[in-house]
Amino acid sequence: MELTERHVEGLKHLLYKMADDLLIIGHRNSEWTGMGPILEEDIAFSSMAQDKIGQSLAIYNILHEMGEQEPDTVAFTRNASSFHCSQLVEQPIGEYDFSLVRHFLYDYADAIRFDMLSNSIFEPLAMVCKKFRGELKYHTMHANIWIKDLAEGNEESKTRIQNALNKAYPMALSLFEPSEFDKELSEAEIFSGEAKCRTIWEKEVGTVILEAGLEIPQVSDPEEYYGGRSGKHTEHLQPLLDEMTEVFQIDPTADW
Amino acid sequence: MYGNAYIDPKKANSSLVDGENPEKLAEFEARIARGEKIEPKDWMPAMYRKQLVRMIEQHAHSEIIGSLPEGTWITRAPGFRRKLALMAKVQDEVGHAQLLYNAAETLGKSREDMINDLISGKSKYSNVFNYPAKTWADSAVIAWLIDAGAIVNQLANSRGSYGPYCRALERICAEESFHLKYGHDNVVFLATGTSKQREMVQDALTRWWPPIMHFFGPSDKDSVHSETLMRWKVKMASNDDMRQQFLNMYVPKIWDLGLTLPDANLKKNEETGKWDYTEPDWEEFKRVINGGGPCNAERLAVRRTAEENGQWVRKALLKESETYVTPLS
């Protein structure tokens, strides 16, 4: 099938939000290096962060092949209003409970998205998503084990995980903020759309939450954290980008 | 990343073997002389165990504290290539701590006790990590030269007598050799880059040179020669020998890049084949080892915060029905 200009525009929008999510969550996860509650978790978060950043690079590379700028330029020179990440990923790492729950909610969403996109008619994306699926399997496995262990650990850990869930769950809905391209991308069999992702996600994370003896948070305003996809961000993103680009910006034309 | 273990002069030599069964001791020493490895369940003199725990523990602490100065540059690394490489490198260092704590645990001290001794200041770690990594170039110099120094030390120690430590070190050295390549590549890019980049790397090198010279420990003439520890293959090479080996391998490479070192006396003595240099300030070394360095308090405070913040997680995982199991190594 021939891609129209509108399809290309929609695809780029999809790729940017995916890559930006991955870059920013990877950056946040990497902040646990040296700070984890046990060494093994330090290592696990670092490992997942490397996967995320590697995945974001692969998607920026696809964008580059579609005529966008080099991955380094795209990642290290834009300001917050040009980023399309969700408001979930830009939140500070907080304590381990929040980071763990965010990782759980986020990775289920990505696993579902990658799974769907593995069948996309847009070959370059389908190919990388097939590869990512293999990596994601371990991320969701890691999340499942820890959510369950801490939910069943003791009173304090259960309360902490539930509270973190109450905080992060409404934010996670911002991952599925509908896009104006959803319908056309779905009709063209490029991507089945955010609504479908969200339905599967609610079912899958809901199962894990209930099995762990936790409650699925009730969300009064599902759109509270929307806006990231069109460049509306919390106060946390720009400082993150300032830090991330600090050295690169000393001389963006230099080889580092 | 690790320098040489600091050996307490008061505990040297003959006192190490006091009160040991002479027959068992003779058999133990004969095994080591034959090149055999000592394994966790084997008989060993109490002081052998004690010295090894202290040495492996210090090494483990150095890895975990060493991840802090470099770790702060992960979120600032310029570009994907460096960011991914630095993340992997620092993750390796934390992984080394895990391997080493496991090796030390086989000698009877739990990881928890070791970490408590670290944050209380009771046990030491490599002095170099008490200096700040001020710029991106510092992280490059650390990755190249501190890891290079660590390899010199660790390769020597991997030929030691305690099986679990040797096996951990073999794996660690393999990974460190990648770190060194990463660090070297990074320094090359800076040294051959823009004037700003060259300035950054020269400044970092100048500041890191004294801690690098300190890295292998006090000069042999001022440090205790522990013949027993050498015979037991706990200590494998003298501080000065390792320092010479390092200088011989890396000073020419540094000079090749057009960088300078802040020691006018540094040169290879053609007669002796050894490097002449100005002795670094050993008073400063002692001051830093005893807590007076620029970052001692900060490093321990970060570690303490991480431990405190993570306490609820560890508590939740503890199950009364489960008993402590010494890790395999």
Side-chain angles (χ1 to χ4, degrees):
Chain A
M1 173 182 169
E2 192 73 10
L3 294 182
T4 64
E5 264 182 46
R6 178 80 181 157
H7 287 143
V8 172
E9 199 188 340
L11 247 176
K12 284 187 180 175
H13 179 76
L14 173 68
L15 294 172
Y16 265 115
K17 67 185 179 188
M18 288 172 67
D20 288 352
D21 269 352
L22 286 163
L23 175 64
I24 302 302
I25 192 94
H27 182 100
R28 285 297 190 208
N29 283 350
S30 80
E31 291 177 34
W32 279 104
T33 310
M35 302 298 293
I38 56 171
L39 290 182
E40 287 74 6
E41 272 308 277
D42 219 299
I43 295 166
F45 263 82
S46 174
S47 186
M48 292 188 287
Q50 288 168 60
D51 283 347
K52 303 291 179 210
I53 298 208
Q55 290 164 2
S56 78
L57 175 59
I59 298 180
Y60 288 128
N61 270 324
I62 298 178
L63 279 163
H64 184 44
E65 282 160 18
M66 295 171 79
E68 298 294 296
Q69 287 183 292
E70 299 263 352
D72 275 350
T73 311
V74 169
F76 290 84
T77 61
R78 280 179 300 159
N79 61 25
S81 61
S82 310
F83 263 77
H84 305 281
C85 55
S86 69
Q87 293 190 3
L88 173 74
V89 297
E90 65 204 47
Q91 299 291 323
I93 58 171
E95 290 206 40
Y96 179 74
D97 42 19
F98 178 76
S99 277
L100 173 69
V101 168
R102 168 168 59 184
H103 140 53
F104 160 62
L105 298 174
Y106 178 81
D107 279 310
Y108 266 85
D110 258 3
I112 294 161
R113 193 179 290 269
F114 294 159
D115 209 28
M116 280 181 177
L117 288 169
S118 297
N119 300 313
S120 172
I121 60 134
F122 184 59
E123 266 297 311
L125 184 58
M127 268 171 63
V128 295
C129 285
K130 275 181 198 148
K131 177 175 177 282
F132 295 168
R133 274 199 308 193
E135 296 173 358
L136 256 288
K137 192 173 95 182
Y138 295 98
H139 298 199
T140 50
M141 195 192 288
H142 175 268
N144 286 349
I145 292 168
W146 278 89
I147 292 285
K148 187 170 176 290
D149 277 358
L150 291 177
E152 292 169 0
N154 57 26
E155 212 40 56
E156 185 193 4
S157 66
K158 183 175 182 175
T159 309
R160 274 175 171 271
I161 296 299
Q162 183 65 57
N163 289 344
L165 203 51
N166 296 345
K167 184 180 171 194
Y169 193 95
M171 293 174 177
L173 297 182
S174 70
L175 292 167
F176 312 105
E177 181 179 341
S179 128
E180 56 168 311
F181 303 102
D182 278 353
K183 190 163 172 283
E184 285 145 294
L185 292 181
S186 174
E187 281 166 2
E189 293 176 40
I190 293 169
F191 171 53
S192 313
E194 299 296 347
K196 192 169 176 196
C197 269
R198 179 172 160 178
T199 308
I200 302 172
W201 178 84
E202 281 174 339
K203 188 166 164 276
E204 288 189 3
V205 296
T207 306
V208 179
I209 292 169
L210 295 176
E211 274 176 10
L214 299 162
E215 286 170 26
I216 301 170
Q218 297 299 312
V219 183
S220 55
D221 175 11
E223 297 181 14
E224 187 183 350
Y225 296 96
Y226 279 10
R229 302 312 191 193
S230 51
K232 183 178 154 250
H233 294 285
T234 62
E235 72 274 23
H236 305 299
L237 183 60
Q238 191 56 51
L240 178 154
L241 295 174
D242 291 343
E243 182 175 326
M244 189 170 85
T245 59
E246 183 188 300
V247 179
F248 193 84
Q249 291 294 350
I250 292 173
D251 187 349
T253 63
D255 282 331
W256 291 96
Chain B
M1 298 180 289
Y2 184 52
N4 213 359
Y6 181 69
I7 295 190
D8 187 342
K10 291 176 208 125
K11 304 265 169 62
N13 292 331
S14 62
S15 67
L16 293 174
V17 293
D18 284 354
E20 297 294 355
N21 177 331
E23 277 173 31
K24 284 185 171 169
L25 182 64
E27 170 56 18
F28 168 84
E29 292 195 341
R31 284 185 64 194
I32 292 175
R34 287 195 297 269
E36 289 176 30
K37 299 288 183 200
I38 305 300
E39 295 299 336
K41 305 250 181 284
D42 296 348
W43 185 89
M44 60 187 84
M47 284 311 290
Y48 175 84
R49 184 185 298 276
K50 196 173 168 187
Q51 290 286 348
L52 268 169
V53 169
R54 211 179 44 126
M55 188 161 119
I56 303 172
E57 182 183 354
Q58 278 185 24
H59 187 168
H61 295 335
S62 300
E63 301 283 356
I64 197 170
I65 295 286
S67 74
L68 299 177
E70 282 184 292
T72 56
W73 290 98
I74 290 175
T75 55
R76 297 154 213 263
F80 277 102
R81 197 164 70 108
R82 296 293 183 213
K83 196 174 179 74
L84 283 165
L86 184 60
M87 285 164 88
K89 184 219 188 275
V90 181
Q91 184 196 25
D92 281 353
E93 307 294 4
V94 181
H96 297 169
Q98 187 195 17
L99 282 173
L100 291 161
Y101 283 126
N102 285 357
E105 278 190 87
T106 63
L107 290 159
K109 186 169 180 181
S110 73
R111 190 200 284 185
E112 193 181 11
D113 285 345
M114 290 186 263
I115 290 183
N116 286 340
D117 285 349
L118 166 68
I119 57 184
S120 74
K122 189 177 162 198
S123 56
K124 306 290 181 201
Y125 53 87
S126 188
N127 242 14
V128 279
F129 304 119
N130 288 318
Y131 292 85
K134 287 183 179 167
T135 71
W136 168 249
D138 289 50
S139 79
V141 168
I142 294 173
W144 183 29
L145 295 175
I146 301 293
D147 283 54
I151 292 177
V152 169
N153 176 261
Q154 288 163 185
L155 269 181
N157 282 345
S158 73
R159 293 187 292 270
S161 61
Y162 189 57
Y165 189 38
C166 297
R167 290 189 286 273
L169 286 174
E170 277 169 25
R171 185 166 153 193
I172 289 170
C173 284
E175 293 184 351
E176 297 281 10
S177 65
F178 283 103
H179 301 174
L180 184 147
K181 281 183 192 156
Y182 157 78
H184 184 236
D185 184 71
N186 205 343
V187 169
V188 168
F189 267 66
L190 295 172
T192 58
T194 64
S195 58
K196 183 86 193 164
Q197 287 174 312
R198 282 199 300 277
E199 208 177 290
M200 274 170 83
V201 74
Q202 180 60 64
D203 173 61
L205 187 60
T206 304
R207 279 184 290 108
W208 279 90
W209 191 246
I212 288 170
M213 291 296 283
H214 283 148
F215 187 71
F216 300 96
S219 166
D220 293 348
K221 62 181 186 294
D222 299 321
S223 68
V224 183
H225 293 265
S226 181
E227 283 155 25
T228 310
L229 291 177
M230 289 274 205
R231 190 167 70 246
W232 288 351
K233 295 186 184 169
V234 171
K235 188 172 168 61
M236 295 298 292
S238 88
N239 297 354
D240 281 341
D241 285 350
M242 286 191 286
R243 195 165 11 247
Q244 283 292 336
Q245 200 185 329
F246 171 84
L247 293 172
N248 206 34
M249 285 170 81
Y250 294 99
V251 173
K253 291 192 171 77
I254 294 167
W255 284 343
D256 275 351
L257 288 170
L259 297 166
T260 59
L261 293 166
D263 179 359
N265 296 321
L266 183 68
K267 64 170 191 307
K268 190 161 187 176
N269 184 323
E270 294 306 330
E271 280 174 34
T272 62
K274 298 208 163 170
W275 286 80
D276 294 335
Y277 53 83
T278 312
E279 282 292 337
D281 182 352
W282 292 112
E283 287 310 309
E284 180 185 321
F285 176 79
K286 283 181 206 152
R287 202 163 50 241
V288 178
I289 235 177
N290 289 316
C295 296
N296 298 58
E298 182 193 326
R299 299 280 185 250
L300 287 186
V302 171
R303 197 60 247 157
R304 200 173 294 127
T305 306
E307 288 304 313
E308 283 167 6
N309 290 347
Q311 204 172 20
W312 70 271
V313 178
R314 298 191 297 277
K315 216 168 132 191
L317 295 180
L318 274 181
K319 304 242 183 328
E320 278 178 25
S321 56
E322 286 172 12
T323 50
Y324 174 78
V325 182
T326 305
L328 297 170
S329 65

